[in-house]
């Protein structure tokens, strides 16, 4: 069978310091993300027809996954997809503001870049329990801020995420404890806007 594998982190565990600490990154990637990958492979063990599908395919078409493993695929496949995405939209020496078409779209959708940040952070802060906040684009090119519970991905509801932030406690608890709003305020310093612009362009195709 083709097994899903943990992707290599595109930078070192300490690369996002001081904003996100090395220990959090190490545990998040090598333990949490690895567990999603392992659990996804375990849930697909007796389903050879699903083993060659990409994780995007599985999450996009959850209703075609047999009911017996649907929830497991939703959680562990979603976890694998979301974290693979999350590592890419962050990077060392990033932050700042987007430019070009992405900035224009953000301004026309949310009034200003600052207002966008405010609304996006609010979506993360107000997500009860564990989940994600997203900037998504729909088929018509319209941007929206969304929030999902657990490891759900907007793809299941047919919008495409171009930016996302993990608000599970495991993403910030070591450094920020219960202060999720402080984590989110700091997180803007590591956002890789070049990757987000790339995601916007690819989502159109
Ligand atoms: Mn996580």
């Amino acid at each position: 069978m083709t097994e899903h594998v943990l992707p290599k982190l595109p930078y070192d565990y300490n690369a996002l310091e001081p904003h996100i600490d090395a220990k959090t990154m190490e545990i998040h990637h090598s333990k949490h993300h690895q567990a999603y990958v392992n659990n996804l492979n375990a849930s697909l063990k007796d389903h050879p027809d699903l083993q060659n599908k990409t994780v995007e395919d599985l999450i996009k078409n959850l209703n075609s996954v047999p009911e017996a493993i649907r929830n497991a695929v939703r959680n562990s496949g979603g976890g694998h997809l979301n974290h693979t995405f999350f590592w890419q939209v962050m990077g060392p020496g990033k932050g700042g503001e987007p430019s070009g078409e992405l900035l224009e779209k953000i301004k026309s959708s949310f009034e200003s870049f600052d207002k966008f940040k405010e609304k996006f952070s609010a979506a993360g802060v107000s997500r009860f329990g564990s989940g994600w906040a997203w900037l998504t684009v729909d088929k018509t090119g319209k941007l929206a801020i969304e929030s999902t519970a657990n490891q759900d991905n907007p793809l299941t509801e047919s919008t495409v995420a171009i930016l996302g932030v993990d608000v599970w406690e495991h993403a910030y608890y070591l450094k920020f404890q219960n202060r999720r709003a402080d984590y989110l305020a700091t997180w803007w310093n590591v956002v890789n806007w070049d990757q987000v612009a790339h995601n916007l362009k690819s989502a159109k195709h």
Side-chain angles (χ1 to χ4, degrees):
M1 71 181 267
T2 311
E3 295 224 306
H4 294 274
V5 293
L6 180 69
K8 205 175 160 335
L9 199 66
Y11 35 80
D12 293 335
Y13 287 134
N14 66 3
L16 305 183
E17 295 262 11
H19 311 296
I20 302 186
D21 62 288
K23 195 67 183 170
T24 294
M25 289 301 293
E26 182 184 349
I27 295 172
H28 203 171
H29 177 260
S30 72
K31 305 291 185 198
H32 291 280
H33 191 171
Q34 182 72 66
Y36 296 123
V37 170
N38 294 349
N39 292 338
L40 176 62
N41 287 328
S43 64
L44 298 177
K45 192 165 60 74
D46 299 323
H47 299 267
D49 53 316
L50 297 178
Q51 288 165 5
N52 291 322
K53 290 193 184 297
T54 64
V55 70
E56 286 87 353
D57 271 351
L58 291 170
I59 295 302
K60 196 171 184 172
N61 304 294
L62 268 181
N63 284 336
S64 61
V65 173
E67 220 176 326
I69 61 164
R70 192 176 300 154
N71 221 33
V73 169
R74 179 179 180 171
N75 290 330
S76 51
H80 178 32
L81 178 66
N82 292 348
H83 287 84
T84 301
F85 177 85
F86 187 48
W87 311 135
Q88 291 168 353
V89 295
M90 300 188 291
K94 300 294 183 182
E97 289 196 9
S99 60
E101 191 197 352
L102 175 59
L103 181 60
E104 290 315 309
K105 268 182 105 74
I106 286 175
K107 281 184 183 167
S108 65
S109 309
F110 308 103
E111 281 178 61
S112 67
F113 180 60
D114 284 343
K115 273 264 184 295
F116 157 72
K117 280 171 54 174
E118 211 175 281
K119 287 177 181 165
F120 184 94
S121 296
V125 168
S126 63
R127 162 53 52 196
F128 183 74
S130 299
W132 293 74
W134 307 98
L135 175 63
T136 64
V137 60
D138 73 7
K139 286 194 180 81
T140 67
K142 189 174 173 295
L143 296 185
I145 292 168
E146 301 185 42
S147 163
T148 58
N150 304 316
Q151 294 297 353
D152 288 352
N153 184 288
L155 208 49
T156 306
E157 303 295 334
S158 73
T159 60
V160 174
I162 63 170
L163 176 67
V165 64
D166 189 344
V167 298
W168 284 57
E169 282 187 343
H170 69 226
Y172 61 87
Y173 201 85
L174 287 182
K175 185 176 165 80
F176 296 93
Q177 292 80 48
N178 61 318
R179 292 172 284 115
R180 186 191 285 182
D182 291 353
Y183 155 66
L184 285 168
T186 299
W187 178 77
W188 294 111
N189 291 305
V190 299
V191 173
N192 182 347
W193 290 109
D194 294 335
Q195 181 65 41
V196 181
H198 170 81
N199 292 343
L200 176 64
K201 282 211 163 60
S202 334
K204 285 177 184 166
H205 301 153

